[in-house]
Amino acid sequence: AQSVTQLDSQVPVFEEAPVELRCNYSSSVSVYLFWYVQYPNQGLQLLLKYLSGSTLVKGINGFEAEFNKSQTSFHLRKPSVHISDTAEYFCAVILRKDSSYKLIFGSGTRLLVRP
Amino acid sequence: EAGVVQSPRYKIIEKKQPVAFWCNPISGHNTLYWYRQNLGQGPELLIRYENEEAVDDSQLPKDRFSAERLKGVDSTLKIQPAELGDSAVYLCASSLGSGEDLGETQYFGPGTRLLVL
């Protein structure tokens, strides 16, 4: 079973509109959840992460995400996007097995902001 | 503070040729990761080092891939011989701790884009 699923491969949105990028995780993984952003020809940059505590997590560049245990979701939101937010967004979870762990990424969602 | 440095940024080789990628992590970071990112997909872990020890290499295709981190600082990932299916972006990342803190942030380099012809 997929540890993390991003159902939307691409999300087009107009500038200044709100956006939500969806992420669902398998209930069998630990609840360490991350959102990374990848700009063209660059490495990944952490937007935000949920480890414990408040279910609403605020990150950089005006993004926020809400951890929903009952729906096993960790959707990313921004109330008003800019052209510069055009990038690939990856949801990720920590998968633990015995004494080992690894960061498992979803397949990514391309956010395309149009003027 | 300098980020994770990788070289080269791009590499084009013919199949069956060897290739090597180099990574210098953020200064003081004990844990180093190599990922492979295929087109249209998220990164997948190949190997994780804690200092100079490879603590997880279960996803590394050991028949053709090798990696080293001799002094616990910079690292080299090698493919010999390369196959067409190895075309991908190879990302290096580092994190500060020893790996016990599962929530620790990983910092990624810009990657090496490999094309095997």
Side-chain angles (χ1 to χ4, degrees):
Chain A
Q2 283 282 80
S3 297
V4 57
T5 302
Q6 293 180 252
L7 290 175
D8 304 307
S9 59
Q10 182 166 301
V11 173
V13 63
F14 287 107
E15 192 175 18
E16 298 183 5
V19 71
E20 178 179 86
L21 305 183
R22 297 183 295 168
C23 173
N24 288 89
Y25 64 93
S26 167
S27 58
S28 63
V29 301
S30 63
V31 287
Y32 295 88
L33 301 162
F34 306 77
W35 274 100
Y36 279 84
V37 60
Q38 187 175 32
Y39 298 103
N41 298 317
Q42 294 186 30
L44 283 74
Q45 179 184 5
L46 181 70
L47 277 176
L48 50 80
K49 60 183 175 181
Y50 173 81
L51 306 180
S52 64
S54 173
T55 57
L56 183 62
V57 182
K58 293 189 181 298
I60 62 171
N61 301 342
F63 284 92
E64 63 181 32
E66 185 159 17
F67 168 62
N68 188 319
K69 186 175 182 179
S70 62
Q71 297 186 7
T72 60
S73 68
F74 190 56
H75 300 332
L76 182 71
R77 302 186 183 101
K78 186 170 183 177
S80 176
V81 295
H82 302 132
I83 296 289
S84 59
D85 292 323
T86 294
E88 190 87 18
Y89 291 79
F90 292 95
C91 184
V93 302
I94 291 288
L95 180 66
R96 297 186 69 170
K97 184 176 181 181
D98 301 324
S99 60
S100 180
Y101 74 93
K102 62 181 65 174
L103 191 60
I104 304 295
F105 289 87
S107 56
T109 297
R110 180 171 298 277
L111 177 62
L112 180 58
V113 182
R114 297 167 173 166
Chain B
E1 178 183 283
V4 177
V5 179
Q6 290 188 248
S7 69
R9 291 295 311 275
Y10 305 92
K11 189 73 176 179
I12 301 174
I13 61 172
E14 294 187 345
K15 63 180 180 181
K16 300 185 182 180
Q17 294 300 305
V19 64
F21 315 123
W22 177 79
C23 171
N24 194 29
I26 293 173
S27 178
H29 279 198
N30 295 314
T31 306
L32 183 146
Y33 315 77
W34 282 103
Y35 289 86
R36 177 168 57 189
Q37 185 177 20
N38 292 315
L39 189 64
Q41 297 181 24
E44 295 179 322
L45 181 70
L46 290 173
I47 189 169
R48 174 167 64 95
Y49 282 94
E50 290 182 11
N51 298 304
E52 61 273 9
E53 182 183 0
V55 296
D56 185 356
D57 63 355
S58 57
Q59 301 301 311
L60 191 72
K62 298 181 181 63
D63 56 337
R64 298 183 299 108
F65 285 65
S66 64
E68 60 183 16
R69 193 186 184 199
L70 292 176
K71 296 183 179 179
V73 180
D74 57 344
S75 176
T76 303
L77 178 69
K78 298 178 182 177
I79 309 175
Q80 183 171 9
E83 296 180 351
L84 296 177
D86 296 331
S87 295
V89 176
Y90 291 83
L91 294 165
C92 179
S94 69
S95 62
L96 182 61
S98 63
E100 294 297 318
D101 182 359
L102 300 185
E104 197 162 49
T105 298
Q106 294 183 25
Y107 297 85
F108 285 80
T112 297
R113 187 175 296 272
L114 174 67
L115 179 59
V116 182
L117 303 176

